[in-house]
Amino acid sequence: MPTPDFVLELRELVGTRPLPLVGVTAVVVRDDEVLLGRRSDNGALTPVTGIVDPGEEPADAACREALEEAGVVIRADRLAWVHQIPRVTYDNGDQSDYLDLTFRCTWVSGDPYPADGEMTEVGWYRLDDLADVGDEMRARIASALADRPEARFEQGA
């Protein structure tokens, strides 16, 4: 996955120490389907995800990532879930603490395709057939699909 330039610049200063980052998950819904892609780095089937750029509104980041990764135009409808992902340690030793903001989004236009190489395949999957989706991503999808107007917040220990 391409690392944003601002993260590379921060890594020059902090090395591999934990870096707090804000990420977005765009759960894009069209009728009874959800947009999913197979990640090129680990083969996992996931919704569109990405890192919020400095100064960028998170909902805008979700829309940008959908266009960049899947070639589709979407509308972010609501914030569905705010949660801290357990620390990620990459193969090179870099550590990141992601605050994930999951958005329920609506497809507006475009036929999905792996636009920037972050995904090897992208397409629409029936909501009742998500067996190949991991538990964490299935929880994000469920939160986005929940019939509630307010976002879900996790409470610390």
Side-chain angles (χ1 to χ4, degrees):
M1 298 285 183
T3 304
D5 289 339
F6 83 91
V7 173
L8 295 175
E9 291 170 10
L10 287 171
R11 283 284 171 217
E12 289 180 17
L13 299 172
V14 301
T16 62
R17 291 185 190 103
L19 188 60
L21 296 168
V22 177
V24 292
T25 301
V27 177
V28 183
V29 179
R30 182 183 75 174
D31 300 321
D32 62 347
E33 299 174 312
V34 64
L35 181 68
L36 300 175
R38 193 155 308 276
R39 292 174 54 112
S40 60
D41 62 345
N42 63 14
L45 190 61
T46 73
V48 170
T49 62
I51 296 172
V52 178
D53 288 337
E56 184 178 32
E57 288 292 335
D60 293 341
C63 296
R64 174 183 53 77
E65 290 288 351
L67 186 59
E68 288 177 0
E69 292 182 13
V72 296
V73 176
I74 67 169
R75 178 184 68 240
D77 297 320
R78 72 175 180 86
L79 179 63
W81 189 17
V82 177
H83 70 291
Q84 184 69 40
I85 297 171
R87 180 166 291 156
V88 176
T89 302
Y90 295 96
D91 290 341
N92 65 358
D94 288 353
Q95 299 175 62
S96 296
D97 293 328
Y98 290 98
L99 176 66
D100 178 68
L101 306 175
T102 298
F103 289 90
R104 180 185 174 122
C105 304
T106 299
W107 171 82
V108 174
S109 65
D111 293 321
Y113 69 99
D116 68 358
E118 290 190 42
M119 305 238 186
T120 58
E121 58 186 75
V122 182
W124 298 105
Y125 289 76
R126 291 187 52 81
L127 292 170
D128 59 3
D129 186 22
L130 301 178
D132 291 342
V133 178
D135 292 342
E136 167 69 21
M137 292 300 174
R138 211 170 314 136
R140 295 183 199 187
I141 293 167
S143 289
L145 296 176
D147 188 22
R148 55 190 289 184
E150 72 280 356
R152 172 181 164 190
F153 296 97
E154 296 301 316
Q155 302 298 315

